[in-house]
C-alpha cells in the first residue's frame, strides 16, 4: 500500500504520494502501530504516516555519521518541499514548541499531534492544507535507538497553533 523508504521515495514522486494520501480513506484502526518511527508506513483513524527516507540506526555512531545523515535528510527535505511547493504553492511553517509545552505541562493533546510533536521536536514542519486534511513534511527521530526519518504525514485535523510568524522556509531557500 505504501512505499518502503529504503530505497527512498524520489522527491519528484512525493507530490503524487501526498495527493494519494490526501484521498486515501483513514482506516478504523491503526495498521501498524508504531512502525513509522522505524521508517515503515502506517495509517490510523486520524493519520497516514509515509516515511520517504531514513537513516540507519545511529545509536553508537560517531558524531560525523550523525551529522552526515542529518545533512543528507535535510537536503532531501528541501527537495521534497520544493516539489510540493511547485504542485501546491508555498507551505506554512509549523513549530512543535507550543504542543511540546502542553505535553510537558500534562495538558491534553490529540494523539496524532502528540506523536508528531515527540517525533519532530526541535524541527519544524512544512504544512499544506488539502481537501480538509493537513499534509506535512517532517524530519525527526524518536530517540537515538531509532533512525532519523523524513516523512509525509497526512492528518484528519490541523496540527495546532504552532504556525510561525515568518516567511515560509520555501521563500528563504532562494
Amino acid at each position: 500500500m505504501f512505499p518502503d523508504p529504503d530505497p527512498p521515495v524520489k522527491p519528484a514522486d512525493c507530490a503524487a504520494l501526498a495527493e494519494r494520501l490526501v484521498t486515501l480513506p483513514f482506516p478504523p484502526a491503526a495498521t501498524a502501530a508504531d512502525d513509522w518511527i522505524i521508517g515503515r508506513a502506517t495509517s490510523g483513524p486520524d493519520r497516514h504516516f509515509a516515511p520517504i527516507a531514513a537513516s540507519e540506526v545511529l545509536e553508537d555512531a560517531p558524531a560525523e555519521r550523525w551529522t552526515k545523515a542529518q545533512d543528507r535528510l535535510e537536503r532531501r527535505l528541501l527537495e521534497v518541499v520544493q516539489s510540493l511547493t511547485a504542485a501546491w504553492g508555498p507551505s506554512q511553517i509549523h513549530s512543535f514548541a507550543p504542543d511540546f509545552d502542553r505535553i510537558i505541562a500534562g495538558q491534553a493533546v490529540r494523539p496524532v499531534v502528540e506523536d508528531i510533536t515527540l517525533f519532530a521536536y526541535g524541527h519544524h514542519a512544512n504544512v499544506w492544507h488539502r481537501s480538509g486534511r493537513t499534509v506535512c513534511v517532517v524530519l525527526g527521530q524518536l530517540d537515538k535507538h531509532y533512525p532519523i526519518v523524513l516523512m509525509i504525514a497526512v492528518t484528519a485535523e490541523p496540527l495546532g497553533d504552532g504556525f510561525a510568524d515568518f516567511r515560509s522556509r520555501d521563500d528563504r531557500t532562494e
Side-chain angles (χ1 to χ4, degrees):
M1 177 191 252
F2 294 98
D4 185 353
D6 186 23
V9 178
K10 296 176 188 171
D13 296 335
C14 287
L17 171 62
E19 283 288 356
R20 193 172 110 234
L21 294 174
V22 166
T23 61
L24 190 67
F26 294 112
T31 58
D34 292 334
D35 278 358
W36 61 276
I37 62 176
I38 60 170
R40 293 189 193 124
T42 187
S43 291
D46 56 355
R47 70 189 72 184
H48 296 302
F49 289 167
I52 54 177
S55 71
E56 74 261 42
V57 174
L58 299 164
E59 181 176 359
D60 296 320
E64 302 84 41
R65 279 198 28 223
W66 281 84
T67 301
K68 186 177 178 181
Q70 184 78 22
D71 290 348
R72 179 180 61 83
L73 290 169
E74 285 177 358
R75 283 191 306 276
R76 177 57 61 95
L77 181 143
L78 290 175
E79 293 169 350
V80 171
V81 168
Q82 289 170 352
S83 176
L84 291 174
T85 296
W88 297 340
S91 63
Q92 293 180 290
I93 303 297
H94 179 82
S95 168
F96 294 99
D99 298 311
F100 187 77
D101 291 344
R102 283 187 205 73
I103 293 166
I104 296 302
Q107 297 173 3
V109 176
R110 289 186 327 275
V112 68
V113 173
E114 183 174 350
D115 286 347
I116 296 174
T117 298
L118 294 176
F119 168 75
Y121 184 73
H123 296 276
H124 291 87
N126 291 80
V127 176
W128 294 264
H129 300 283
R130 306 285 297 167
S131 301
R133 293 185 175 183
T134 300
V135 178
C136 68
V137 177
V138 63
L139 181 64
Q141 180 181 32
L142 195 61
D143 71 29
K144 70 179 188 173
H145 304 288
Y146 298 102
I148 304 168
V149 176
L150 175 61
M151 75 171 168
I152 296 174
V154 175
T155 64
E157 298 178 33
L159 291 180
D161 61 358
F163 288 100
D165 190 21
F166 52 84
R167 301 186 296 157
S168 77
R169 183 179 296 156
D170 310 334
D171 295 336
R172 293 182 282 140
T173 59
E174 299 176 27

